[in-house]
Amino acid sequence: MQFADLNIWKYLASIVDIALVWYVIYKLINVIRGTKAVQLLKGILVILLVRVFSEWLGLITLSWMMQQAINWGFLAVIIIFQPELRRALEQLGRGRFFSRSSTQDDDNQEKTVEAIVKATDYMAKRRIGALISIERETGMSDYIETGIQLNSNISSELLINIFIPNTPLHDGAVIIQKNNVSAAACYLPLSESPFISKELGTRHRAALGISEVTDSLTVIVSEETGGISLTKNGELHRDLKVEELKELLTREMLIHTKDKQASSARWNWRGKQNG
């Protein structure tokens, strides 16, 4: 009986051990998510795969080269990932690595929503074209790199000033990352869907395009009509009122689980879509 109990405790310890390792990996992924480190990790994965296949196929020289890259890769990872490692250690020292302040996050999200809605309302009344994309779970670093880096605190005044016609940054998209204006004048992929209304221009096609490849929320203000639209998951919702825009952004961006559950019901409505 004692031997059986000992085996049970070993199994439980193994399960806890594996669960803790996976949790630490999950938190590390959250730290580097949306940064250049993600692309570097993909490169490391490619090296490991090439090493395995070269060994399997008997490619001695290539296998030796990949092994050397792996042997010296530890030092390279420390150097390349220095910003991410420093941020993780800072969070660990502050006791925030395994926890998050939901109250502070909610406050930041609410400020972001207010700034976007206020700026959108101002620009829609004056028919100032705008394209604002909000990063969520899927990183948008590749698209941020196509624009002008700002890394500024978000405010309605800043968003309005960016999109004023004939200014250096007005052409392109603004990308909001972690409640900050990360970059402006960014290029977004255009949707190639044949079902898009012919009356829609480049801004709407870019908003749909980015919503098809990421889980971002994108707000569009039409320069011709002043109409407000929003895209998510390949869906275009047009002719939104300011109150509707605020409601949708609030439901989608607030962190609490009840708000996320409520958002799914909201996105099932059949409003004006795709013309």
Side-chain angles (χ1 to χ4, degrees):
M1 192 67 180
Q2 293 180 351
F3 181 75
D5 292 340
L6 183 60
N7 284 335
I8 292 175
W9 280 113
K10 286 184 177 180
Y11 287 135
L12 291 176
S14 298
I15 293 173
V16 172
D17 188 22
I18 295 172
L20 287 175
V21 170
W22 276 110
Y23 184 70
V24 170
I25 293 174
Y26 168 75
K27 299 303 291 187
L28 288 174
I29 292 174
N30 283 340
V31 170
I32 66 173
R33 186 181 59 195
T35 67
K36 294 180 180 180
V38 175
Q39 304 301 323
L40 294 174
L41 284 177
K42 292 180 180 178
I44 293 174
L45 180 60
V46 169
I47 292 176
L48 292 175
L49 291 176
V50 171
R51 171 69 175 85
V52 172
F53 281 106
S54 61
E55 182 73 22
W56 182 59
L57 296 173
L59 305 176
I60 300 175
T61 304
L62 182 60
S63 176
W64 178 84
M65 291 176 61
M66 293 300 101
Q67 185 60 48
Q68 295 305 309
I70 294 172
N71 292 341
W72 294 97
F74 180 74
L75 292 176
V77 166
I78 295 177
I79 296 172
I80 295 172
F81 290 173
Q82 180 184 358
E84 287 75 20
L85 291 172
R86 182 173 60 187
R87 180 171 53 166
L89 291 174
E90 287 176 353
Q91 292 181 5
L92 183 62
R94 295 171 184 171
R96 294 167 51 193
F97 188 77
F98 296 101
S99 63
R100 63 187 302 172
S101 175
S102 59
T103 302
Q104 183 179 1
D105 286 342
D106 285 349
D107 290 342
N108 291 335
Q109 298 279 30
E110 290 176 2
K111 291 178 181 178
T112 299
V113 170
E114 289 293 337
I116 294 173
V117 170
K118 184 178 178 180
T120 301
D121 185 30
Y122 179 95
M123 293 185 288
K125 291 178 179 177
R126 293 159 179 80
R127 295 189 178 183
I128 299 174
L131 185 60
I132 304 171
S133 192
I134 308 162
E135 181 190 82
R136 303 179 77 192
E137 296 296 325
T138 305
M140 299 180 65
S141 295
D142 291 344
Y143 306 104
I144 290 173
E145 291 176 356
T146 65
I148 306 299
Q149 303 291 317
L150 295 179
N151 297 322
S152 304
N153 294 330
I154 189 170
S155 68
S156 58
E157 292 79 9
L158 176 60
L159 293 174
I160 293 170
N161 194 65
I162 289 173
F163 290 109
I164 294 296
N166 302 320
T167 55
L169 300 179
H170 87 284
D171 191 18
V174 162
I175 296 181
I176 296 175
Q177 184 183 58
K178 298 179 181 178
N179 300 307
N180 287 321
V181 179
S182 183
C186 299
Y187 292 98
L188 303 183
L190 299 181
S191 175
E192 298 180 358
S193 173
F195 303 106
I196 301 176
S197 174
K198 299 297 183 181
E199 67 185 37
L200 298 179
T202 304
R203 284 194 181 91
H204 290 80
R205 290 181 177 273
L208 273 172
I210 194 65
S211 72
E212 291 169 353
V213 297
T214 71
D215 61 349
S216 61
L217 300 172
T218 304
V219 179
I220 315 102
V221 178
S222 172
E223 190 174 3
E224 289 75 19
T225 65
I228 301 172
S229 305
L230 187 143
T231 62
K232 173 179 180 280
N233 293 338
E235 297 180 358
L236 173 64
H237 296 263
R238 299 179 61 191
D239 299 330
L240 297 174
K241 297 180 180 178
V242 175
E243 294 78 12
E244 292 177 321
L245 175 65
K246 183 176 181 179
E247 180 182 355
L248 286 172
L249 289 177
T250 300
R251 288 180 181 273
E252 291 294 333
M253 292 177 63
L254 285 182
I255 297 170
H256 294 303
T257 304
K258 60 180 181 180
D259 295 319
K260 291 184 177 180
Q261 293 174 345
S263 69
S264 60
R266 175 59 177 170
W267 277 97
N268 287 328
W269 70 301
R270 298 299 180 187
K272 297 180 181 180
Q273 298 183 19
N274 300 339

